[in-house]
Amino acid sequence: MKLRSAFPLLLGAAVCALQPAPASATLPDPPLPYVDAVQIGPPAPDTICARLPIVVTLRGTFPDPCHVLKEVQVFDRIMAPFPHPPTVRIVVTEDVCPQHGCATVMTPWSASVTIPGLPPGGWQLPLEVLKLSRDCSGIEVPGELLSAQVPFYVSEPCPPAKSCFVADWDHSRRGTDFCDAFVGVGHPASVTLEIGSMVALAGLQGGLSLAPAGLRIVALEPVGPAAGMHLVWNTTPEGARFAMFAESGAPIPAVLPSEPQNRVPVLKITAALDAGLPAPPLTHVMALDLLGSDANGGSVQECPILYLDPERLIAPAAIICAGAPTACDFNGDGRADVRDLVLMIHCVLQSGFCPPDATGRLDCDQDGRVSIEDVLCCARTVLRGTSAGSPPGRREPGVAVRFGAPVTTPAGLDVPVRVRGTDHLGGALLELRFPSDRFELTGIDGPGPGDGWLSLHDVADSRLAIGLIEAGQPAGATALDLVVHLALKPGQNAGGELRIAGGEFSGPDGAALEVALDSPPLRLEGPAGLALSPGEPNPFAREVRFTVSLARAADVEIAVHDLGGRLVTVIHRGPLGPGPHPFTWNGARADGSAAPGGLYFYRARGGGEVAMRKIILVR
């Protein structure tokens, strides 16, 4: 079932799971269809504060999935200068021509809106339900309009609010079907709870609800900044109860909770089909009765809904859909990424779990069999997507990506790229950006047959995606070296920078890894114009003088070697600016002892260039 609405920001409200009505909720008078409870302001015993925005929470049940909540309107019918509550209208659409029929299944809904603050005293909230009918052509026809009143009381002004937090869900994987994950036989689904707290949290507890019945929670895992926290949990008829806490400090950081981009992932919930029950078309996952703790054991409550975006209804629910996952989505989480590739290669090589329906889910090239070619086929699909970063996972500080110094070639530049910590990796997807107005990519030197890795890449304009899949790397291997070949375009000069734009990483077990991609951008400069003058005097007995000149700034190493090529001493190692730079060598080794007489070489290396001259030391 797909949700439809004229206001996309309101869509989530139609899929919230039904919660038990709090003690402060009431019914409209007279009763309205589809409405089970109306809560004006916070739950009891909290009161409605005078002259502050008031949250109205609506809960109800539709008789079948063909009834959906289109929107909740707030408008002023009276237009009077004195204070008064606005009218709240619930707009319900009934699809009278459903594509797949309409079974009689009670479907819960929940929505919240904010109305302006009022002075102290008793009030009546006008509440309406407007019914619409959608015919087979998609036209909506207005139907019955019913109205009622809901009494409420506003108390005196309240003291300033204490610190609080906002709980929401990661919806970054949603498509047009509004599914956060997919579930089916043999592939569970995972969704992630996010927290935005005004104060750093050292603990969090609460309940999880799955509605309607059909799925059960099989795993909970702390993720993101909470990855190191202790977690205890148990299943309940509704879903689960959990408590998580840190041994020291408060890992869940303090942020501005009203900004969704500030919220951090804290808990991954995995659900699977409950034995003997059919998979519901939509399962709504909600977090209930949440309570946080700061580092001192102080209570931190959930924020009033007015801290959230006032322009949309609040729908703190994740949606798990029944059905087949997207192409190449081997783990069934609603997205195809590097973690799926790791599980695929284990299945193909028979080094890990292979589900019974692996052939149908892995036969990417549709040749009727499962092979390495299918893994590469799916890898190409993943590479062509835009990397959005790994989903929440465990931290892996042992993995890093670093650029080496560019080497000048007749065609342009060769850039070394090293991936460290490959013993912790099962796969990686790197997204690099290069100045495509100056350079074109001519190739990548990846791991060889004996390195135990599959590699491939994809180029689109200035985007270079590199995929790496572990297929049996040698024991003890901890790094992987690549070389990116860039050729200058006709009439262009070197310049710009190569940078890491994003990445996704997976462990050997298929779990998502959080890796810090903190390598600074690499300047793609041309030759440094390195020149080395003859030594004077030559031969010499006490000191020789020479000059290193550069056309542009570069990191330069200047060293002395003996006739056998062995290092005698390093005279300079570090950055040098453009222009001449004088240096001397007094005939001493690195340890300060006198070098014997004989033939020596002094060498300057920097900016992809090397210059060397010989000198004679006379004793």
Side-chain angles (χ1 to χ4, degrees):
M1 181 184 75
K2 291 188 176 181
L3 305 177
R4 290 166 285 189
S5 172
F7 298 87
L9 291 177
L10 309 183
L11 284 168
V15 296
C16 289
L18 180 64
Q19 299 183 56
S24 57
T26 185
L27 284 172
D29 184 22
L32 292 175
Y34 317 129
V35 179
D36 297 334
V38 179
Q39 178 184 319
I40 302 177
D46 292 340
T47 58
I48 301 174
C49 301
R51 297 181 179 84
L52 288 181
I54 303 170
V55 176
V56 179
T57 303
L58 309 164
R59 295 179 176 86
T61 308
F62 294 129
D64 53 58
C66 291
H67 288 76
V68 296
L69 177 67
K70 180 181 180 180
E71 61 178 309
V72 177
Q73 301 171 347
V74 178
F75 58 92
D76 192 346
R77 187 188 297 276
I78 301 176
M79 301 296 294
F82 53 83
H84 59 277
T87 298
V88 175
R89 176 181 291 174
I90 303 166
V91 183
V92 178
T93 299
E94 179 185 6
D95 191 348
V96 299
C97 190
Q99 183 178 1
H100 301 293
C102 200
T104 304
V105 178
M106 302 301 288
T107 305
W109 65 272
S110 175
S112 297
V113 291
T114 301
I115 63 174
L118 294 165
W123 303 91
Q124 295 280 339
L125 176 71
L127 186 65
E128 298 179 348
V129 171
L130 174 62
K131 298 180 181 180
L132 304 178
S133 296
R134 182 187 296 113
D135 60 23
C136 296
S137 63
I139 298 175
E140 292 181 341
V141 179
E144 190 176 13
L145 176 65
L146 302 173
S147 61
Q149 299 283 330
V150 183
F152 65 101
Y153 183 82
V154 176
S155 67
E156 296 298 323
C158 300
K162 299 178 181 179
S163 297
C164 59
F165 67 88
V166 168
D168 210 335
W169 296 88
D170 177 12
H171 300 305
S172 62
R173 292 176 288 178
R174 278 191 175 180
T176 56
D177 51 15
F178 301 98
C179 300
D180 294 303
F182 291 87
V183 69
V185 177
H187 58 89
S190 297
V191 293
T192 302
L193 178 67
E194 297 182 328
I195 292 292
S197 178
M198 298 170 65
V199 60
L201 297 181
L204 182 70
Q205 71 175 40
L208 298 167
S209 168
L210 304 182
L215 301 186
R216 60 185 174 86
I217 294 177
V218 296
L220 297 182
E221 178 187 358
V223 295
M229 298 177 70
H230 295 285
L231 171 68
V232 292
W233 67 282
N234 62 274
T235 58
T236 65
E238 297 77 23
R241 297 287 303 177
F242 72 91
M244 50 196 299
F245 56 93
E247 289 186 358
S248 61
I252 301 175
V255 298
L256 181 62
S258 60
E259 300 297 332
Q261 67 271 17
N262 291 343
R263 298 166 200 162
V264 296
V266 297
L267 186 65
K268 182 172 75 172
I269 296 94
T270 301
L273 290 177
D274 204 351
L277 294 178
L282 296 178
T283 299
H284 320 305
V285 186
M286 294 193 69
L288 310 174
D289 306 322
L290 294 178
L291 175 65
S293 171
D294 60 23
N296 297 319
S299 173
V300 184
Q301 305 284 339
E302 282 194 80
C303 297
I305 300 177
L306 59 88
Y307 274 93
L308 301 179
D309 186 353
E311 300 298 324
R312 68 179 176 98
L313 292 175
I314 307 307
I319 305 176
I320 298 176
C321 299
T326 57
C328 298
D329 180 14
F330 200 63
N331 62 7
D333 67 351
R335 57 180 279 167
D337 57 24
V338 69
R339 297 174 299 152
D340 299 294
L341 303 180
V342 172
L343 297 178
M344 288 176 188
I345 193 68
H346 290 173
C347 178
V348 170
L349 298 179
Q350 298 183 352
S351 59
F353 173 70
C354 228
D357 59 345
T359 301
R361 293 166 56 193
L362 184 52
D363 188 13
C364 179
D365 57 12
Q366 300 296 307
D367 64 353
R369 62 189 183 90
V370 172
S371 64
I372 290 291
E373 284 70 24
D374 293 299
V375 181
L376 296 178
C377 172
C378 283
R380 295 185 187 97
T381 300
V382 172
L383 288 181
R384 294 189 185 105
T386 301
S387 174
S390 292
R394 64 173 182 259
R395 296 178 183 175
E396 186 46 76
V399 177
V401 181
R402 294 290 182 264
F403 294 127
V407 177
T408 303
T409 67
L413 296 173
D414 285 352
V415 181
V417 181
R418 166 163 283 199
V419 182
R420 298 201 310 242
T422 56
D423 51 326
H424 302 295
L425 282 180
L429 170 62
L430 296 175
E431 183 177 328
L432 309 181
R433 297 283 178 170
F434 66 96
S436 56
D437 57 333
R438 299 172 181 264
F439 294 93
E440 62 180 356
L441 183 85
T442 58
I444 294 178
D445 291 342
D451 294 321
W453 286 81
L454 299 177
S455 68
L456 66 165
H457 67 274
D458 182 78
V459 181
D461 298 325
S462 62
R463 174 182 178 271
L464 167 61
I466 303 174
L468 300 168
I469 312 166
E470 192 269 325
Q473 66 175 330
T478 60
L480 199 60
D481 290 308
L482 312 169
V483 178
V484 177
H485 301 288
L486 298 173
L488 280 171
K489 291 184 175 181
Q492 294 292 330
N493 296 318
E497 62 184 28
L498 178 68
R499 61 183 177 87
I500 301 175
E504 297 180 357
F505 299 85
S506 172
D509 56 354
L513 303 180
E514 293 185 15
V515 173
L517 297 176
D518 53 0
S519 182
L522 180 70
R523 294 292 302 173
L524 299 176
E525 303 289 356
L530 181 70
L532 191 60
S533 70
E536 294 182 355
N538 189 16
F540 75 100
R542 305 182 69 177
E543 184 178 83
V544 60
R545 299 177 300 278
F546 59 92
T547 301
V548 176
S549 300
L550 296 170
R552 65 169 181 84
D555 287 331
V556 179
E557 180 185 83
I558 304 169
V560 177
H561 298 262
D562 63 16
L563 187 60
R566 293 176 291 272
L567 178 66
V568 176
T569 189
V570 175
I571 299 175
H572 173 83
R573 182 184 288 130
L576 291 177
H581 301 273
F583 291 95
T584 61
W585 182 46
N586 61 3
R589 297 189 179 98
D591 61 2
S593 62
L599 180 63
Y600 292 89
F601 298 90
Y602 60 100
R603 183 183 70 176
R605 180 174 59 184
E609 299 179 80
V610 177
M612 185 166 56
R613 290 183 180 272
K614 64 182 178 180
I615 49 178
I616 299 174
L617 173 61
V618 178
R619 292 295 187 190

